[in-house]
Amino acid sequence: MSAATTVFVARLAGTSVFDPIGDQVGRVRDVVVLLRPKGLPRAVGLVVEVPGRRRVFLPLTRVTSIDSGQVISTGLVNMRRFEQRAMETLALSELLERSVEFVDGSGTGTIEDLAIERQRTGDWLVAKLYVRRTGEHKGTLRLRRRGDAVVVDTGAVTGLAGRTGAAQGAAMLLAAYDDLKPADLADVIHDLGDTRRLEVAGALDNERLADVLEELPEDDQVAILSGLDTGRAADVLEAMQPDDAADLLHELPEAQAAQLLELMEPDEARDVRRLLAYAEDTAGGLMTTEPVVLGPETTIATALAQIRRKDLAPALASMVFVVRPPLETPTGRFLGVAHFQRLLREPPHAAVGSVLDTDVEGIAPDAPLGRVTRILATYDLLCVPVLDSEKRLLGAISVDDVLDHMLPEDWRETDDLEVEHRPEDLSPGTTPRARTEAPRG
């Protein structure tokens, strides 16, 4: 890289990181910056997401090139999970859309991007800001239009470090992370500070926020839902899967949960109330009330169209549940299941009732978690039906819901997986490098 290298950080989001021989290491998710009392802010490293959804710290001293939509590293990557330190600021997560004031008194603006420049010393400094003005100002012979965007030296504004209690937008951050799956965006949101987490969550639409909440630890779920106005909180609960909504309501104070249930649409609230009646570690507490349910006369073509729905979890798409009317849970008598693979092998015009597997054992709603686990494992199933004493379908339990309850409560927040290191990263007899608590960079 030349000494004059300049990089706008918003364009780095999602950029692939490669080692010297061309193997992909991961993708850039953020830039770590030190905001200093004097002098320009200093960029010290990249937050890189590597396989396994692990986020690690890559010092800029180990970056040899940033060019043409790619980052080249030396190949030495510390695989310890990134943890933000008190003196550090994440450029994408915390600086985009931050309000600043122009030192010449010409008004205020919001940061839409910032440029880091590599100095001859090898340091990377935040030298330029791309700022959109939020008010009229007098700068030359005319009034500049509201909303003009300008590139200015970092020293031309104040407030980069933020002001206590100042609200910050989140649209730019979400645009940078638009390609993330809900579980990955949940990781990003979890790592934010309390205030910023609420700002970002509040900027998501109801469907996206519902998907993200389902992937967050329970304490984050409670904090975010409690930070929304009650009307919107009820709307988000409606957008969640009923079993996930019930699990979240279990964590709220009884009065708050009752208020939100009253604000939900009656049909949505009814399903959640049914689930709340069961203990969390029973089949009834684990099940969803919205599996794919069809009558026996439904064609295989229609069944395949149902399980192709984008909003359907893969485990629930592995089979359709065939019942007598009514088709809403609790249904008429349960007849059996039609497996996805069997549906693919049969003529589209055939009825699902002709390809039923009647050997799938249903489970009672009061069955304990251990019983559910054994059935899934014994019969190699991804989901299992929950039936009442009259053989009516109440819902279905998917393997992912079982795993959620079997893993430790803090499994989303810990990273105890074995890490594979590239052979060239280690010399014989050495161990992976651990990050110390000394300042980075």
Side-chain angles (χ1 to χ4, degrees):
M1 291 181 296
S2 68
T5 299
T6 300
V7 179
F8 281 90
V9 300
R11 300 174 188 175
L12 276 178
T15 300
S16 296
V17 180
F18 297 92
D19 65 14
I21 63 174
D23 290 336
Q24 184 170 345
V25 176
R27 291 186 179 274
V28 176
R29 291 308 180 194
D30 222 316
V31 178
V32 181
V33 174
L34 302 180
L35 300 178
R36 301 181 290 181
K38 295 182 179 180
L40 297 178
R42 180 183 173 210
V44 294
L46 306 177
V47 179
V48 177
E49 182 178 291
V50 298
R53 289 171 47 194
R54 183 197 301 261
R55 283 179 169 78
V56 301
F57 178 74
L58 176 63
L60 282 170
T61 54
R62 295 183 188 169
V63 172
T64 59
S65 173
I66 302 178
D67 190 27
S68 302
Q70 63 182 12
V71 174
I72 307 297
S73 74
T74 62
L76 295 172
V77 179
N78 187 335
M79 298 302 290
R80 183 176 178 180
R81 187 179 178 88
F82 170 74
E83 294 180 4
Q84 186 179 359
R85 298 173 183 169
M87 77 284 280
E88 296 171 341
T89 300
L90 298 179
L92 293 175
S93 302
E94 299 176 322
L95 292 182
L96 295 191
E97 295 196 83
R98 178 160 291 184
S99 296
V100 292
E101 296 181 3
F102 291 93
V103 296
D104 62 4
S106 60
T108 61
T110 56
I111 298 172
E112 293 194 353
D113 205 347
L114 52 155
I116 57 174
E117 292 185 357
R118 187 174 186 267
Q119 311 300 302
R120 295 186 182 279
T121 60
D123 289 341
W124 288 81
L125 301 180
V126 180
K128 302 284 185 183
L129 301 175
Y130 184 73
V131 181
R132 186 167 298 279
R133 294 184 180 272
T134 54
E136 292 183 344
H137 69 288
K138 297 179 180 179
T140 57
L141 299 178
R142 62 180 179 85
L143 285 176
R144 191 183 297 272
R145 295 196 312 274
R146 182 183 182 87
D148 280 356
V150 292
V151 176
V152 298
D153 292 337
T154 302
V157 302
T158 61
L160 192 63
R163 299 185 298 277
T164 302
Q168 185 175 348
M172 296 296 296
L173 170 65
L174 294 177
Y177 289 140
D178 186 57
D179 65 319
L180 293 187
K181 295 179 180 179
D184 297 325
L185 182 56
D187 277 350
V188 173
I189 291 176
H190 171 70
D191 290 338
L192 300 176
D194 293 342
T195 300
R196 187 61 171 151
R197 186 182 301 130
L198 289 175
E199 291 169 346
V200 172
L204 293 168
D205 62 52
N206 291 343
E207 294 288 341
R208 181 76 160 156
L209 179 54
D211 291 341
V212 169
L213 281 178
E214 292 172 1
E215 304 295 339
L216 282 168
E218 290 176 351
D219 53 347
D220 286 349
Q221 292 181 355
V222 170
I224 289 173
L225 198 73
S226 299
L228 303 175
D229 66 71
T230 52
R232 182 162 187 224
D235 291 341
V236 172
L237 285 170
E238 290 175 7
M240 296 176 70
Q241 291 295 319
D243 53 328
D244 291 308
D247 289 343
L248 177 49
L249 288 171
H250 266 302
E251 302 300 318
L252 297 176
E254 187 174 339
Q256 184 182 1
Q259 180 186 23
L260 291 172
L261 281 168
E262 288 297 322
L263 292 173
M264 292 174 65
E265 290 293 329
D267 288 347
E268 301 287 348
R270 182 191 65 233
D271 288 341
V272 175
R273 290 181 195 276
R274 282 173 48 207
L275 296 173
L276 287 171
Y278 300 105
E280 290 184 76
D281 57 352
T282 64
L286 292 168
M287 71 181 179
T288 176
T289 57
E290 297 179 348
V292 178
V293 182
L294 301 173
E297 72 289 344
T298 305
T299 65
I300 287 176
T302 300
L304 289 172
Q306 287 290 317
I307 61 178
R308 278 199 299 265
R309 296 196 331 252
K310 184 179 179 180
D311 63 335
L312 191 65
L316 289 176
S318 66
M319 65 178 67
V320 298
F321 298 86
V322 183
V323 302
R324 297 292 184 193
L327 303 183
E328 297 289 332
T329 56
T331 68
R333 185 173 181 80
F334 174 71
L335 301 177
V337 302
H339 297 282
F340 168 60
Q341 288 182 320
R342 178 67 187 275
L343 294 173
L344 291 175
R345 295 195 297 265
E346 301 297 331
H349 61 270
V352 294
S354 66
V355 296
L356 287 185
D357 179 354
T358 57
D359 293 332
V360 172
E361 184 178 352
I363 195 165
D366 59 353
L369 175 61
R371 171 72 173 156
V372 178
T373 305
R374 284 193 294 274
I375 289 179
L376 288 170
T378 299
Y379 299 104
D380 294 326
L381 297 173
L382 293 178
C383 56
V384 62
V386 180
L387 308 177
D388 66 11
S389 59
E390 299 178 8
K391 300 300 181 183
R392 298 182 302 171
L393 181 69
L394 302 178
I397 304 169
S398 60
V399 66
D400 54 308
D401 290 323
V402 172
L403 287 173
D404 273 347
H405 283 75
M406 292 184 66
L407 290 168
E409 290 187 4
D410 62 346
W411 72 269
R412 298 180 191 274
E413 304 173 68
T414 58
D415 192 355
D416 56 0
L417 301 175
E418 292 291 330
V419 180
E420 292 185 11
H421 294 265
R422 295 181 55 82
E424 60 267 34
D425 290 351
L426 300 176
S427 301
T430 64
T431 57
R433 293 198 217 183
R435 280 166 48 202
T436 67
E437 293 305 312
R440 297 192 182 109

